[in-house]
Amino acid sequence: MTTFFVAKVSDIQDGKCQAFEVNGQKIAVFNVGGEFKATEGICRHKGGTLGEGALDGKVITCPLHGWQYDVTTGECVANDAVQKLAIYPVKIVDDQIEVEL
Ligand code: FES
């Protein structure tokens, strides 16, 4: 695994999220009550960009058709037949958010 800088802590406020492309991979980073989480960035339905969706607590809603995922587990809410999103470890180093891929 390699660690990649994605943003400063102050760039993603509590309850917000952002999409990134890191090392050729699309990921999404979420601020859940001051704790940062990172998942695969592409919706399992039809490829929506999850980092551009709306975060409510720990649930992200895809901006395209509204599928929802728990960003702490990667599980698709209301449809456990959908493969979970990959979850990536996040480290905060000083004021920087780093994700391990
Ligand atoms: S692409 Fe995400 S809900 Fe359709």
Side-chain angles (χ1 to χ4, degrees), residues 10-99:
S10 57
D11 292 338
I12 308 176
Q13 301 295 313
D14 186 4
K16 300 291 183 193
C17 52
Q18 206 169 312
F20 296 94
E21 187 158 334
V22 177
N23 203 27
Q25 269 180 267
K26 293 192 163 134
I27 69 165
V29 177
F30 308 90
N31 182 336
V32 180
E35 214 175 301
F36 289 90
K37 304 288 179 189
T39 69
E40 244 177 298
I42 299 297
C43 180
R44 296 260 185 252
H45 180 218
K46 291 193 174 176
T49 301
L50 294 174
E52 295 174 357
L55 185 65
D56 182 8
K58 60 183 186 172
V59 174
I60 183 68
T61 300
C62 177
L64 292 191
H65 318 96
W67 280 29
Q68 294 182 311
Y69 301 87
D70 180 326
V71 303
T72 66
T73 63
E75 283 170 11
C76 183
V77 176
N79 188 350
D80 57 15
V82 173
Q83 189 191 349
K84 284 184 189 179
L85 299 173
I87 301 287
Y88 304 116
V90 178
K91 277 197 306 193
I92 304 301
V93 179
D94 298 325
D95 63 341
Q96 303 197 333
I97 305 167
E98 297 181 353
V99 177

